[in-house]
RNA sequence: GGGCGUUUAGCUCAGCUGGGAGAGCGCUACCCUUACAAGGUAGAUGUCGGCGGUUCGAUCCCGUCAACGCCCACCA
């Protein structure tokens, strides 16, 4: 049984992938090691939620980061990729809450805070690792010893340290503020977590009476009449001639008959609505501002669950929608509803819950981000941190140039509890890194901690530091903080530029005075093939694990890499994955071809004088690919790197070099056989190395056979560009050879000759080198185009009559087939080519005739155009000769 | 309303600092040729969104219009 038949005919990744992942782990391949670059390369993995299931976005994260990590590691950087998971406050709490209610019919309040948190931890220990295993299926080469959870001891310390620092600097403050309240989560959420969606509603015009003058009726337009119960003023624009006399008088809010002042405020637009505005400081962002300016009282009419409270007795207990209907009914009864019309307007929805959020005034914690944001902007302006693609810096700037204070408190239990403490006896409030046992002012022991927890992004923002041990000095030493901070690059999606990138910048620079990373590569968002966002409700999600199962992780990775450049969307079609699976199979079968010759192959390349022109050519092409891949990956052009290696394997290695090798490997020249086998093995080694960052599994599998298990491809040095291998003349010669071969095949196809039909081919060229090479290559032409016999002559020789023919720019090809071919057909083929060539020729000729062009164009362009003109002319002459041969 | 981006072959997209329009998939024809039918060989397909400008020369630069997409802010 020979080796070729031992290897399966199609590559099947099953079993192979897990085997190699385990090998790499055992081999400690993912641990940072000092290399020839004498430089570190660090990146952190955006920590997925512990509740998460791997989706295409994660798969893209994993691929773009792993390709880069493996590439840099092979190039000799001391490479560290840090994994981790995020506690994801709201979603985790919600998952466990639901689970407990389902199984035990208990709420978190039934269990109490301490017990409930215990349950979440237990859940996290049991299920939180799921996503980690899924990442491993993708082949991620991170150092798992660094794996960090956002609620581990060190990140906890980081959160506290940072909080206390800002608190003591006065940058964290507590304030009554109007916040977005999510009635499902029963928590405040930050502005950034609110989506504004267009909603169909109504525009109500309502009569308000004026106390001082019962004859006046103010018409007030509103979309939310149910909030009347919280009105504490009516406002008009002080410059509005219609109403300015009313300022200072008193309006009566209908239904609840509250007397409220009529005030003047510039915010009121004269031309919008009716020009009169009901002011509801407790439940509207703008009104809250008006209220502050005018010292208005705040009335809260909502409960935490979004229903109305006792301040709105007529609608108490109702949800806003029902309340609105009820208020409408009452208004109709009272005859104060003047008009109701349809109205589409944007309404805030909670990003996570999908529910309409209610503006509510409550006490929350905030971070004043003004100065931190300035620093973060400057770092990018000064080039301390660079975005790839550059355009994303605009998004970053647009957030940070108008920073809003960040609401960091959440009314949840799962998360980092705010390290602020209160004394019951003296009412003192302070922040502390360690839990105190007594008041630092009055020493009373009756102290308690703030009940709220921090926004999850507060801990994520410290991630580049806390994963490297900050602020624990021992941990920092152990994890190499000094070497690995700042990170080299951050890779993430544009949807969290503000949530995460900006916050890491602000927080990292606040602590260390250094940007936490040098580059930020923003990858695209994966959508379905129609460009729609993948979502549960649409059911258009593509499960990466299913794709891995069906096509192999390498194919999924190659697809994602090939789709990742500076684009902002990836419209993923599973057919593409199939296509790249086929590519994996192609690589596998190319290897199956060379496998039987491996024992002949030497480990070292033969001396240069023994290289065949084919060898010089393939090495030059290989070298060019190495150049492209290196340059592309250095600037995060995964697409260019992928297509370079894809094309090399298909179009150069398989279609030509391997095909050209058959004649030699099956021939009688032992020495030539050895050289060719050596060359093939060499190329394959290099291709495996070049491909390895993108498709680690199949390359490791093939490498193990290539090298008899002596080494791992993952430990090899990456292929670098080598100036000595460049060879312009050889490339030109091979291109001409390919032109001629393709030309012969083209003719064969045009006259419907079967592959089995042997040809007699007559070539005419004035290129003496080419003629020589074609003569030497006559055996190869037999293999590639089934050419049995032929001649090569100069262009002054006489052409055979009535042959199937074709002209390249350098060579005329004649296949004498008199009597067997349709002359008319051949003539029209040639004429068509002639028309096209004439058109091309006249274009360049026109340029050369243009004196402005000749005098203005740079010399190299001029030379190029002249050369083109010459080749077109040569081809035209050839075509002319061919036409004549039919006369 | 403010900002960003997109418009290139049937589809998805690439085209770096201006110099003869590209890839993959799909499609057509022929071929089970001893690595591969998850394959081979050959082939067809574009007013590079419209209009104007700069230039010897524009897919690329500028202006303008149109369509689409995204982000931010917000219409009581």
């Amino acid at each position: 049984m020979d080796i070729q038949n031992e290897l399966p005919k199609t590559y099947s990744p099953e079993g192979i992938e897990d085997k190699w992942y385990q090998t790499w782990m055992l081999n400690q391949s993912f641990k940072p090691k000092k290399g020839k670059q004498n430089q570190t390369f660090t990146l952190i993995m955006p920590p997925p939620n512990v509740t998460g299931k791997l989706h295409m976005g994660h798969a893209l994260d994993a691929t773009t980061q792993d390709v880069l990590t493996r590439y840099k590691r092979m190039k000799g950087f001391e490479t560290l990729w840090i994994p981790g998971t995020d506690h994801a406050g709201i979603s985790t709490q919600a998952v466990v809450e639901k689970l407990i209610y389902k199984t035990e019919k208990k709420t978190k309040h039934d269990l109490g805070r301490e017990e409930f948190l215990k349950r979440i931890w237990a859940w996290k220990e049991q299920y939180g690792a799921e996503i980690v295993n899924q990442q491993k299926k993708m082949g991620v080469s991170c150092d798992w010893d660094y794996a960090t959870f956002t609620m581990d001891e060190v990140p906890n310390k980081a959160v506290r340290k940072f909080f206390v620092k800002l608190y003591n600097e006065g940058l964290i403050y507590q304030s009554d503020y109007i916040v977005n309240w999510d009635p499902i989560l029963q928590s405040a959420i930050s502005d950034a977590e609110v989506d504004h969606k267009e909603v169909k509603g109504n525009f109500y015009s309502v009569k308000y009476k004026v106390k001082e003058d019962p004859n006046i009726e103010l018409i007030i337009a509103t979309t939310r009449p149910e909030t009347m119960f919280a009105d504490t003023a009516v406002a008009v624009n002080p410059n509005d001639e219609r109403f300015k006399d009313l300022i200072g008088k008193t309006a009566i809010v209908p239904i609840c008959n509250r007397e409220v002042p009529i005030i003047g405020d510039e915010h009121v637009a004269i031309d919008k609505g009716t020009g009169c505005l009901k002011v509801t400081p407790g439940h509207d962002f703008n009104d809250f501002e008006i209220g502050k300016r005018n010292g208005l009282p705040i009335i809260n009419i909502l409960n935490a669950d979004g229903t109305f409270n006792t301040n709105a007795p007529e609608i108490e207990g109702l949800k806003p929608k029902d309340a609105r209907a009820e208020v409408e009914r009452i208004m109709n009864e009272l005859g104060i509803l003047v008009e109701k019309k349809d109205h589409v307007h944007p309404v805030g929805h909670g990003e996570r819950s999908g529910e309409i959020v209610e503006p509510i005034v409550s006490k929350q914690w905030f971070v004043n981000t003004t100065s931190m944001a300035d620093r973060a902007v400057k770092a990018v302006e000064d080039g301390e941190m660079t975005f790839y693609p550059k355009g994303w810096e605009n998004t970053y700037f647009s957030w940070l140039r108008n920073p809003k204070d960040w609401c960091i408190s959440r009314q949840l239990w799962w998360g980092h509890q705010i390290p602020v403490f209160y004394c019951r006896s003296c009412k003192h409030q302070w922040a502390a890194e360690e839990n105190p046992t007594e008041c630092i002012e009055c020493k009373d022991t009756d102290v308690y901690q703030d009940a709220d927890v921090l926004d999850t992004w507060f801990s994520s923002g410290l991630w580049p530091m806390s994963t490297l041990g900050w602020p624990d000095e021992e941990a920092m030493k152990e994890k190499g903080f000094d070497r690995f901070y700042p990170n080299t690059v951050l890779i993430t999606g544009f949807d969290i530029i503000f949530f995460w990138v900006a916050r890491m910048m602000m927080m990292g620079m606040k602590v260390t005075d250094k940007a936490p990373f040098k580059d930020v590569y923003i990858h695209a968002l994966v959508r379905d093939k129609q460009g729609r966002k993948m979502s549960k409700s649409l059911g258009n999600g593509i499960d990466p694990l299913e794709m891995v199962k069906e096509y192999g992780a390498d194919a999924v990775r190659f697809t994602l890499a090939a789709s990742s450049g500076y684009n902002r969307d990836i419209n993923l079609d599973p057919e593409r994955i199939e296509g790249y699976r086929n590519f994996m199979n192609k690589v596998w079968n190319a290897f199956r071809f060379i496998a039987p010759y491996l024992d002949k192959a030497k480990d070292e390349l033969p001396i240069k004088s023994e290289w065949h022109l084919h060898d010089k050519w393939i090495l030059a092409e290989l070298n060019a690919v190495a150049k492209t891949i290196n340059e592309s990956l250095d600037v995060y052009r995964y697409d260019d790197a992928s297509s370079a290696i894809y094309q090399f394997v298909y179009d150069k290695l398989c279609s030509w070099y391997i095909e050209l090798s058959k004649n030699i490997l099956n021939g009688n020249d032992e020495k030539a056989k050895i050289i060719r086998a050596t060359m093939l093995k060499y190329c394959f080694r290099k291709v495996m190395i070049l491909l390895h960052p993108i498709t680690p599994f199949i390359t490791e599998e093939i490498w193990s056979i290539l090298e008899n298990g002596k080494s791992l491809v993952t430990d090899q040095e990456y292929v670098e560009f080598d100036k000595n291998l460049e060879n312009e003349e050889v490339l030109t010669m091979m291109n001409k050879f390919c032109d001629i071969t393709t030309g012969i095949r083209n003719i064969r196809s045009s006259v419907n000759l079967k592959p089995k039909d042997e040809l007699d081919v007559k070539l005419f060229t004035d290129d003496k080198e080419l003629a020589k090479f074609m003569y030497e290559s006559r055996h190869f032409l037999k293999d590639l185009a089934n050419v049995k016999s032929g001649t090569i002559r100069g262009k002054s020789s006489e052409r055979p009559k009535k042959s199937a023919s074709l002209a390249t720019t350098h060579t005329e090809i004649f296949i004498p087939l008199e009597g067997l071919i349709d002359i008319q057909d051949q003539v029209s083929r040639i004429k068509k080519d002639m028309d096209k060539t004439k058109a091309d020729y006249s274009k360049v000729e026109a340029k050369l005739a243009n004196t402005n062009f000749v005098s203005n164009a740079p010399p190299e362009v001029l030379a190029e155009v002249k050369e083109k003109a010459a080749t077109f002319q040569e081809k035209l002459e050839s075509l002319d000769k061919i036409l004549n041969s039919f006369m």
Side-chain angles (χ1 to χ4, degrees), chain A residues 649-692:
Chain A
V649 170
Y650 252 104
D651 301 341
K652 305 291 196 261
L653 186 64
C654 292
S655 294
W656 294 100
Y657 192 68
I658 286 183
E659 291 304 327
L660 286 166
S661 297
K662 288 178 177 173
N663 188 281
I664 293 173
L665 293 170
N666 297 328
N668 301 318
D669 185 340
E670 264 320 301
K671 190 172 176 197
K673 271 192 204 181
I674 291 170
I675 293 174
R676 188 52 62 107
T678 304
M679 284 289 172
L680 278 165
K681 184 176 179 185
Y682 177 86
C683 285
F684 235 85
R685 291 170 51 121
K686 297 295 173 188
V687 170
M688 289 307 101
I689 291 171
L690 286 169
L691 263 174
H692 184 257

Side-chain angles (χ1 to χ4, degrees), chain A residues 353-370:
Chain A
S353 69
E355 187 63 28
I356 294 177
V357 296
E358 295 292 343
I360 285 184
V361 175
S362 62
K363 227 179 196 52
Q364 301 289 345
W365 289 96
F366 292 86
V367 176
N368 176 337
T369 53
T370 313

Side-chain angles (χ1 to χ4, degrees), chain A residues 801-848:
Chain A
K801 292 286 172 196
K802 299 188 167 74
S803 304
S805 337
L806 178 147
T808 70
T809 53
H810 45 83
T811 305
E812 292 161 38
I813 307 166
F814 285 76
I815 301 179
L817 289 166
E818 197 168 356
L820 294 174
I821 55 167
D822 182 342
I823 302 284
Q824 219 39 55
D825 199 47
Q826 288 296 309
V827 169
S828 69
R829 259 181 71 241
I830 300 297
K831 279 193 169 157
K832 203 176 156 197
D833 194 4
M834 201 160 202
D835 288 344
K836 201 173 159 251
T837 312
K838 268 185 186 159
D840 288 340
Y841 179 63
S842 55
K843 251 189 234 166
V844 285
E845 207 192 27
K847 275 193 178 182
L848 291 172

Side-chain angles (χ1 to χ4, degrees), chain A residues 17 110 160 173 180 203 281 301 333 365 393 491 569 572:
Chain A
E17 298 183 346
D110 294 334
R160 284 208 164 188
Y173 64 93
N180 296 293
F203 214 2
I301 55 173
E333 212 173 271
W365 289 96
E393 68 182 32
I491 298 183
D569 295 309
L572 184 67

Side-chain angles (χ1 to χ4, degrees), chain A residues 295-315:
Chain A
L296 299 175
I298 291 167
I299 298 173
N300 182 2
I301 55 173
L302 285 170
N303 295 311
D305 64 359
T307 59
F308 285 84
N309 66 23
T310 49
N311 287 332
E314 282 82 355
I315 50 176

Side-chain angles (χ1 to χ4, degrees), chain A residues 68-100:
Chain A
L68 202 64
T69 303
R70 288 177 184 270
Y71 166 70
K72 295 287 181 180
R73 189 183 292 127
M74 291 172 89
K75 277 179 94 82
F77 289 84
E78 186 180 4
T79 302
L80 173 62
W81 183 17
I82 304 175
T85 42
D86 190 273
H87 66 281
I90 289 164
S91 55
T92 311
Q93 175 165 325
V95 163
V96 179
E97 222 175 323
K98 253 188 218 150
L99 190 76
I100 292 173

Side-chain angles (χ1 to χ4, degrees), chain A residues 61 141 393:
Chain A
D61 264 340
S141 68
E393 68 182 32

